Amino acid sequence: MPLIVLKGLRGGVGTTSTAIALARQFNQQNKEVLIIDNCTENILSFYFPAQQKSITLSQALLAETPIEESIFYYRPHYQVLPFGLVNMKDNLLLQLSFSAKQHLTHFLTTFIQLHPDAIILMDLQHTQDTLFTHWIEKADIFFTVAMAESNCHIRLNQHAFIENEYVLINQFRATSQIHQDFYQFWQTTPFPLCPVVLHRDEASLEACASRLPLYDYRANCMLVEEISQLAQWCFSLFERKEGQP
Protein backbone atom coordinates (compact mmCIF):
# COMPACT_ATOMS: atom_id res chain seq x y z
CA MET A 1 0.00 0.00 0.00
CA PRO A 2 1.89 3.09 -1.16
CA LEU A 3 1.14 6.23 0.86
CA ILE A 4 1.80 9.71 -0.54
CA VAL A 5 1.39 12.79 1.64
CA LEU A 6 1.22 16.27 0.15
CA LYS A 7 1.46 19.34 2.36
CA GLY A 8 1.81 22.93 1.26
CA LEU A 9 4.73 24.88 2.65
CA ARG A 10 2.18 27.68 2.93
CA GLY A 11 -1.39 28.22 1.78
CA GLY A 12 -2.10 28.92 -1.87
CA VAL A 13 0.67 26.88 -3.49
CA GLY A 14 -1.77 24.50 -5.22
CA THR A 15 -1.46 21.41 -3.02
CA THR A 16 -5.06 20.26 -3.41
CA SER A 17 -5.23 20.61 -7.18
CA THR A 18 -1.90 18.78 -7.45
CA ALA A 19 -3.11 15.94 -5.22
CA ILE A 20 -6.30 15.57 -7.26
CA ALA A 21 -4.39 15.55 -10.56
CA LEU A 22 -1.84 13.03 -9.28
CA ALA A 23 -4.57 10.72 -7.96
CA ARG A 24 -6.34 10.95 -11.32
CA GLN A 25 -3.12 10.05 -13.12
CA PHE A 26 -2.64 6.96 -10.94
CA ASN A 27 -6.27 6.03 -11.60
CA GLN A 28 -5.73 6.49 -15.34
CA GLN A 29 -2.99 3.87 -15.07
CA ASN A 30 -5.45 1.37 -13.59
CA LYS A 31 -4.49 1.94 -9.97
CA GLU A 32 -7.04 2.11 -7.18
CA VAL A 33 -6.70 5.40 -5.30
CA LEU A 34 -8.11 7.05 -2.21
CA ILE A 35 -7.52 10.75 -1.72
CA ILE A 36 -8.05 12.07 1.81
CA ASP A 37 -8.39 15.72 2.75
CA ASN A 38 -7.80 17.39 6.10
CA CYS A 39 -8.30 21.02 5.09
CA THR A 40 -10.75 22.72 7.43
CA GLU A 41 -11.86 24.96 4.53
CA ASN A 42 -13.06 21.88 2.60
CA ILE A 43 -11.24 22.80 -0.62
CA LEU A 44 -11.13 19.24 -1.96
CA SER A 45 -14.93 19.02 -2.17
CA PHE A 46 -15.03 22.11 -4.39
CA TYR A 47 -13.76 20.05 -7.33
CA PHE A 48 -16.48 17.39 -6.92
CA PRO A 49 -19.76 19.33 -6.53
CA ALA A 50 -22.01 16.54 -7.82
CA GLN A 51 -20.64 13.88 -5.45
CA GLN A 52 -21.12 15.64 -2.11
CA LYS A 53 -22.00 13.42 0.84
CA SER A 54 -24.08 14.55 3.77
CA ILE A 55 -21.47 13.32 6.27
CA THR A 56 -17.82 14.38 5.93
CA LEU A 57 -14.66 13.00 7.54
CA SER A 58 -14.58 15.66 10.25
CA GLN A 59 -18.24 15.03 11.14
CA ALA A 60 -17.63 11.28 11.28
CA LEU A 61 -14.65 11.84 13.57
CA LEU A 62 -16.59 14.16 15.86
CA ALA A 63 -19.61 11.85 16.04
CA GLU A 64 -17.54 8.63 15.93
CA THR A 65 -19.66 7.28 13.08
CA PRO A 66 -18.29 4.99 10.32
CA ILE A 67 -15.80 6.98 8.24
CA GLU A 68 -16.30 4.81 5.16
CA GLU A 69 -19.81 6.27 4.83
CA SER A 70 -18.17 9.62 3.99
CA ILE A 71 -16.30 8.25 0.97
CA PHE A 72 -17.63 8.76 -2.54
CA TYR A 73 -16.51 7.41 -5.90
CA TYR A 74 -15.62 10.05 -8.48
CA ARG A 75 -14.74 7.34 -10.98
CA PRO A 76 -14.35 3.57 -10.72
CA HIS A 77 -11.48 2.90 -8.30
CA TYR A 78 -11.08 6.64 -7.57
CA GLN A 79 -12.35 7.31 -4.04
CA VAL A 80 -12.53 10.70 -2.34
CA LEU A 81 -12.78 11.44 1.38
CA PRO A 82 -13.34 15.19 2.01
CA PHE A 83 -12.74 16.73 5.40
CA GLY A 84 -15.66 19.16 5.38
CA LEU A 85 -16.00 22.71 6.66
CA VAL A 86 -14.88 22.93 10.28
CA ASN A 87 -15.09 25.88 12.66
CA MET A 88 -12.24 26.72 15.02
CA LYS A 89 -13.92 25.13 18.05
CA ASP A 90 -14.55 21.78 16.37
CA ASN A 91 -11.09 21.78 14.80
CA LEU A 92 -9.53 22.28 18.23
CA LEU A 93 -11.64 19.42 19.58
CA LEU A 94 -10.40 17.15 16.79
CA GLN A 95 -6.77 18.11 17.31
CA LEU A 96 -7.00 17.34 21.03
CA SER A 97 -9.19 14.23 20.77
CA PHE A 98 -7.42 10.93 21.36
CA SER A 99 -10.56 9.03 20.32
CA ALA A 100 -10.65 10.88 16.97
CA LYS A 101 -7.06 9.80 16.27
CA GLN A 102 -7.94 6.22 17.23
CA HIS A 103 -11.03 6.31 15.02
CA LEU A 104 -9.00 7.56 12.04
CA THR A 105 -6.26 4.99 12.61
CA HIS A 106 -8.79 2.17 12.82
CA PHE A 107 -10.41 3.27 9.56
CA LEU A 108 -7.10 3.56 7.69
CA THR A 109 -5.78 0.27 9.04
CA THR A 110 -8.97 -1.50 7.96
CA PHE A 111 -8.96 0.19 4.55
CA ILE A 112 -5.37 -0.90 3.92
CA GLN A 113 -6.25 -4.49 4.83
CA LEU A 114 -9.23 -4.48 2.46
CA HIS A 115 -7.42 -2.62 -0.35
CA PRO A 116 -3.75 -3.67 -0.07
CA ASP A 117 -2.87 -2.48 -3.58
CA ALA A 118 -4.55 0.94 -3.35
CA ILE A 119 -2.51 4.14 -3.44
CA ILE A 120 -3.52 6.53 -0.66
CA LEU A 121 -2.91 10.25 -1.09
CA MET A 122 -3.31 12.63 1.84
CA ASP A 123 -3.81 16.32 1.14
CA LEU A 124 -2.85 17.97 4.42
CA GLN A 125 -3.41 21.56 5.48
CA HIS A 126 -0.27 23.67 5.83
CA THR A 127 -1.00 24.61 9.45
CA GLN A 128 -0.04 22.52 12.45
CA ASP A 129 -1.96 19.26 12.66
CA THR A 130 -1.96 16.32 15.06
CA LEU A 131 -4.62 14.09 13.48
CA PHE A 132 -2.39 12.88 10.65
CA THR A 133 1.07 13.16 12.26
CA HIS A 134 1.36 9.39 12.67
CA TRP A 135 0.68 8.87 8.96
CA ILE A 136 3.17 11.48 7.84
CA GLU A 137 5.85 9.35 9.47
CA LYS A 138 4.60 6.30 7.53
CA ALA A 139 4.57 8.04 4.14
CA ASP A 140 6.49 6.41 1.31
CA ILE A 141 6.70 9.87 -0.28
CA PHE A 142 6.10 13.15 1.50
CA PHE A 143 5.80 16.11 -0.86
CA THR A 144 6.28 19.58 0.58
CA VAL A 145 4.67 21.72 -2.12
CA ALA A 146 6.33 25.10 -2.66
CA MET A 147 6.65 27.92 -5.15
CA ALA A 148 9.93 29.45 -6.26
CA GLU A 149 9.51 32.73 -4.40
CA SER A 150 10.73 34.56 -1.31
CA ASN A 151 8.00 33.43 1.10
CA CYS A 152 8.72 29.75 0.46
CA HIS A 153 12.47 30.43 0.43
CA ILE A 154 12.30 31.76 4.00
CA ARG A 155 10.16 28.83 5.14
CA LEU A 156 12.40 26.23 3.49
CA ASN A 157 15.43 27.61 5.30
CA GLN A 158 13.63 27.09 8.61
CA HIS A 159 12.14 23.72 7.68
CA ALA A 160 13.22 20.44 9.29
CA PHE A 161 13.15 17.76 6.60
CA ILE A 162 12.24 14.16 7.36
CA GLU A 163 12.96 10.87 5.63
CA ASN A 164 11.24 10.39 2.25
CA GLU A 165 10.42 14.12 2.00
CA TYR A 166 10.81 16.00 -1.26
CA VAL A 167 10.21 19.63 -2.20
CA LEU A 168 7.77 19.69 -5.11
CA ILE A 169 7.96 23.00 -6.95
CA ASN A 170 4.57 24.02 -8.29
CA GLN A 171 3.30 26.89 -10.47
CA PHE A 172 6.79 27.50 -11.83
CA ARG A 173 7.02 30.25 -14.45
CA ALA A 174 9.94 29.78 -16.81
CA THR A 175 9.61 33.39 -17.97
CA SER A 176 10.03 34.73 -14.44
CA GLN A 177 13.60 35.67 -13.59
CA ILE A 178 12.79 35.48 -9.87
CA HIS A 179 11.45 31.94 -10.23
CA GLN A 180 14.53 30.92 -12.18
CA ASP A 181 16.87 32.52 -9.66
CA PHE A 182 15.29 30.81 -6.66
CA TYR A 183 15.15 27.43 -8.40
CA GLN A 184 18.78 27.62 -9.49
CA PHE A 185 19.84 28.61 -6.00
CA TRP A 186 17.82 25.83 -4.37
CA GLN A 187 19.63 23.36 -6.61
CA THR A 188 22.87 24.34 -4.83
CA THR A 189 21.39 23.69 -1.36
CA PRO A 190 20.77 20.43 0.53
CA PHE A 191 17.00 20.82 -0.05
CA PRO A 192 15.65 17.44 -1.29
CA LEU A 193 14.16 18.75 -4.54
CA CYS A 194 11.84 16.52 -6.53
CA PRO A 195 13.32 16.30 -10.05
CA VAL A 196 9.89 16.95 -11.62
CA VAL A 197 8.87 20.62 -11.66
CA LEU A 198 5.22 21.57 -12.25
CA HIS A 199 4.83 24.70 -14.36
CA ARG A 200 2.07 27.26 -14.10
CA ASP A 201 -0.67 26.33 -16.57
CA GLU A 202 -3.79 28.35 -17.29
CA ALA A 203 -5.66 25.06 -17.72
CA SER A 204 -5.32 24.49 -13.97
CA LEU A 205 -6.98 27.83 -13.18
CA GLU A 206 -9.71 27.17 -15.74
CA ALA A 207 -10.32 23.72 -14.26
CA CYS A 208 -10.75 25.27 -10.81
CA ALA A 209 -13.23 27.80 -12.21
CA SER A 210 -15.12 24.94 -13.86
CA ARG A 211 -14.99 22.86 -10.65
CA LEU A 212 -13.36 19.94 -12.40
CA PRO A 213 -10.18 17.93 -11.79
CA LEU A 214 -7.52 19.01 -14.27
CA TYR A 215 -7.39 15.77 -16.26
CA ASP A 216 -11.14 15.80 -16.85
CA TYR A 217 -11.10 19.45 -17.86
CA ARG A 218 -8.23 19.27 -20.36
CA ALA A 219 -6.33 16.01 -20.66
CA ASN A 220 -3.87 17.25 -23.29
CA CYS A 221 -2.40 20.26 -21.47
CA MET A 222 1.24 20.68 -20.46
CA LEU A 223 0.55 20.24 -16.74
CA VAL A 224 -1.13 16.85 -17.25
CA GLU A 225 2.04 15.68 -19.02
CA GLU A 226 4.13 16.88 -16.08
CA ILE A 227 1.79 15.16 -13.60
CA SER A 228 2.25 11.99 -15.65
CA GLN A 229 6.03 12.35 -15.27
CA LEU A 230 5.56 12.87 -11.53
CA ALA A 231 3.48 9.70 -11.29
CA GLN A 232 6.18 7.71 -13.10
CA TRP A 233 8.80 9.11 -10.73
CA CYS A 234 6.64 7.98 -7.78
CA PHE A 235 6.34 4.50 -9.27
CA SER A 236 10.13 4.28 -9.56
CA LEU A 237 10.46 5.13 -5.85
CA PHE A 238 7.84 2.54 -4.92
CA GLU A 239 9.71 -0.12 -6.87
CA ARG A 240 12.99 0.87 -5.28
CA LYS A 241 11.50 0.57 -1.79
CA GLU A 242 9.99 -2.84 -2.60
CA GLY A 243 13.41 -4.02 -3.72
CA GLN A 244 15.09 -3.00 -0.48
CA PRO A 245 15.87 -5.84 1.95
Side-chain angles (χ1 to χ4, degrees):
M1 181 284 307
L3 171 62
I4 300 176
V5 174
L6 300 95
K7 185 173 183 177
L9 192 60
R10 64 167 177 81
V13 294
T15 307
T16 298
S17 58
T18 301
I20 292 171
L22 185 57
R24 182 69 176 85
Q25 188 62 44
F26 287 138
N27 178 245
Q28 186 67 14
Q29 298 184 36
N30 298 316
K31 299 295 183 181
E32 181 179 7
V33 295
L34 168 66
I35 180 168
I36 304 173
D37 175 33
N38 93 320
C39 176
T40 57
E41 296 170 344
N42 201 32
I43 294 175
L44 182 68
S45 286
F46 180 83
Y47 289 88
F48 307 96
Q51 287 84 12
Q52 302 281 350
K53 284 258 187 167
S54 57
I55 302 296
T56 61
L57 172 58
S58 58
Q59 292 170 328
L61 290 172
L62 288 166
E64 297 188 16
T65 55
I67 293 175
E68 55 270 19
E69 294 179 3
S70 303
I71 295 175
F72 63 78
Y73 278 87
Y74 175 62
R75 293 175 52 84
H77 308 298
Y78 185 136
Q79 302 179 70
V80 181
L81 179 55
F83 197 68
L85 280 171
V86 181
N87 59 41
M88 291 182 63
K89 178 182 177 182
D90 284 344
N91 186 43
L92 183 59
L93 285 174
L94 285 172
Q95 298 299 324
L96 297 176
S97 172
F98 179 71
S99 61
K101 296 181 181 67
Q102 280 190 317
H103 192 31
L104 178 64
T105 296
H106 175 73
F107 159 72
L108 286 168
T109 302
T110 303
F111 182 89
I112 291 167
Q113 291 172 347
L114 295 174
H115 307 267
D117 297 323
I119 298 176
I120 298 178
L121 295 95
M122 293 182 176
D123 172 22
L124 305 189
Q125 59 187 352
H126 70 280
T127 54
Q128 192 65 30
D129 173 75
T130 60
L131 271 174
F132 287 85
T133 300
H134 176 68
W135 296 95
I136 290 175
E137 297 169 353
K138 290 180 173 290
D140 295 285
I141 302 174
F142 177 25
F143 285 124
T144 293
V145 184
M147 292 174 60
E149 37 95 287
S150 56
N151 190 311
C152 288
H153 179 69
I154 294 170
R155 293 170 186 265
L156 281 174
N157 277 277
Q158 301 179 74
H159 186 73
F161 292 97
I162 64 172
E163 187 178 1
N164 299 326
E165 182 176 1
Y166 300 89
V167 178
L168 177 61
I169 298 175
N170 193 26
Q171 301 185 42
F172 184 77
R173 287 183 291 162
T175 58
S176 168
Q177 188 62 52
I178 294 296
H179 280 215
Q180 290 186 41
D181 289 346
F182 274 116
Y183 180 50
Q184 290 173 7
F185 180 71
W186 289 351
Q187 289 179 307
T188 68
T189 70
F191 299 159
L193 298 179
C194 174
V196 180
V197 175
L198 304 180
H199 288 73
R200 182 180 177 88
D201 192 329
E202 293 301 314
S204 180
L205 303 178
E206 294 166 3
C208 178
S210 302
R211 303 189 72 174
L212 282 172
L214 175 65
Y215 190 98
D216 300 303
Y217 175 76
R218 186 178 298 167
N220 61 346
C221 68
M222 176 189 68
L223 186 53
V224 165
E225 175 59 33
E226 292 173 346
I227 291 290
S228 176
Q229 294 172 14
L230 181 62
Q232 292 304 317
W233 182 78
C234 291
F235 282 133
S236 68
L237 284 189
F238 297 155
E239 292 172 359
R240 195 181 311 164
K241 288 199 69 172
E242 288 177 1
Q244 291 178 351

